[in-house]
Amino acid sequence: MGAAAAVTAGVLVVGNLTAPMTGGGIEAIPTVAPKPSAEPSPEPTVEPLTVQSVLSGAANTTASYPAPVAGPGQYLMIDHQSQQLVLYAPGDLNPSRAEATAGWTVTSSYTTYIPANRSDEWVEVFRPDRQIVDLFGEEAGVQSQAWLEQFSGMTDPIIRRYEGGLPNVTDVPFGSDAHYAQLPRDPAALIDWIRDYSGATAGPDSDAMVVGFLIQELQLNAAPADLRPAMYQALSMMPNGVVLGTVGNVVTLSFPTYAANERWDSISIDTSTALVTSSSFTLGSGGTIVPDGVPNHLVSQTVTVVDDAP
């Protein structure tokens, strides 16, 4: 969102202001101060961002800025940069934030290749490029290196190939044309379909399923153009979402999900293109080691069109 103001400078021409000479001197030429032609315009009122306004705007923007589309024989290359929070407590393989005595974040990356003909072969490439980037607690330095050691034998990328889409809990591959054909284009009907699909038809867990499904779909930036607006509108109908912040054109929204586990799912949207730049989830709070604002998992992505896949 932005506003531009153009200011035009006018030239005031004043004639016949020269007084006749008397007594060998020159009388002062009177100063003429131009009067403003109009009162200055008031500054426009900027409405505060809301979850509904951001998502409705994204739904409208999809018509002007469709997601990239691969041509015949090409691929959508979706590059993912991932950040994971690892928590540590002596003798506990899966400590919570409140129980952790140390923690660290580790980055990694992988790439998804989606063929133009989605019934063809999909490819995922996982790179062995893990790096420790943030440490929390006195034990974090030693424990993070011990944790990283388990991956020391992974020196080559792992390549996985799938026919017609990514593995799914049903027989219909995720991301396939058949998968998207099932999804209603009406937002309310889409929400009902997701509830039935997930097996949770009411309550906070049902809302969590809907939010999680929509964020998973939107973050891939690969849904058909006629479906993406309905996805954004459906997400806007989910309760208790908040605007976390804005950086340039990118707005981050967060939704409480699985309230008993204190889980929040977030999505960052470039409002100029309606493409999702990242998504994350944060689980638990109340610890003294890891700040509550550090997500348990965050993945950012960029989408380009390429001619080949590994």
Side-chain angles (χ1 to χ4, degrees):
M1 295 178 289
V7 179
T8 303
V11 179
L12 177 64
V13 179
V14 181
N16 299 323
L17 292 182
T18 305
M21 295 184 183
T22 58
I26 300 177
E27 292 187 351
I29 298 175
T31 301
V32 178
K35 295 182 179 180
S37 59
E39 292 296 324
S41 300
E43 290 293 326
T45 302
V46 179
E47 294 294 333
L49 288 177
T50 66
V51 171
Q52 287 70 30
S53 68
V54 171
L55 293 172
S56 294
N60 293 332
T61 300
T62 56
S64 303
Y65 293 91
V69 176
Q74 294 183 316
Y75 294 82
L76 284 181
M77 184 182 76
I78 304 174
D79 187 61
H80 311 264
Q81 300 294 322
S82 176
Q83 177 178 296
Q84 176 190 357
L85 172 65
V86 181
L87 298 171
Y88 169 81
D92 192 340
L93 296 178
N94 189 29
S96 66
R97 287 176 187 250
E99 298 164 336
T101 59
W104 53 91
T105 56
V106 56
T107 61
S108 58
S109 63
Y110 64 101
T111 302
T112 304
Y113 294 86
I114 303 177
N117 182 348
R118 298 196 180 199
S119 63
D120 290 343
E121 183 180 73
W122 293 45
V123 181
E124 284 191 316
V125 180
F126 297 86
R127 292 180 284 277
D129 55 355
R130 291 177 180 83
Q131 289 187 325
I132 306 295
V133 292
D134 292 307
L135 300 174
F136 308 101
E138 294 181 359
E139 304 170 89
V142 172
Q143 296 300 334
S144 64
Q145 291 305 311
W147 177 88
L148 196 60
E149 185 64 26
Q150 66 183 305
F151 304 102
S152 60
M154 299 175 60
T155 58
D156 298 321
I158 297 174
I159 300 178
R160 295 176 180 170
R161 304 180 186 277
Y162 313 98
E163 286 299 322
L166 299 175
N168 201 356
V169 294
T170 70
D171 293 334
V172 181
F174 178 78
S176 65
D177 291 336
H179 169 71
Y180 287 127
Q182 303 175 96
L183 275 61
R185 270 52 176 173
D186 174 76
L190 177 58
I191 291 173
D192 290 339
W193 185 92
I194 298 171
R195 293 192 199 282
D196 291 340
Y197 177 82
S198 63
T201 58
D205 284 352
S206 175
D207 291 341
M209 291 287 190
V210 173
V211 169
F213 181 95
L214 290 170
I215 289 179
Q216 179 188 27
E217 288 281 4
L218 287 167
Q219 66 92 24
L220 197 60
N221 292 311
D226 66 332
L227 178 59
R228 293 174 65 229
M231 288 181 170
Y232 279 123
Q233 293 287 12
L235 190 57
S236 76
M237 297 164 68
M238 292 294 97
N240 303 318
V242 297
V243 178
L244 282 188
T246 302
V247 179
N249 292 325
V250 177
V251 181
T252 300
L253 311 176
S254 190
F255 295 82
T257 54
Y258 301 101
N261 294 327
E262 293 186 283
R263 173 167 168 153
W264 286 77
D265 283 76
S266 301
I267 183 171
S268 297
I269 304 165
D270 186 335
T271 56
S272 67
T273 62
L275 293 177
V276 173
T277 60
S278 67
S279 60
S280 67
F281 73 85
T282 304
L283 185 63
S285 63
T288 59
I289 299 298
V290 181
D292 289 346
V294 178
N296 286 67
H297 186 260
L298 180 149
V299 60
S300 59
Q301 58 276 326
T302 56
V303 184
T304 53
V305 176
V306 296
D307 294 329
D308 299 295

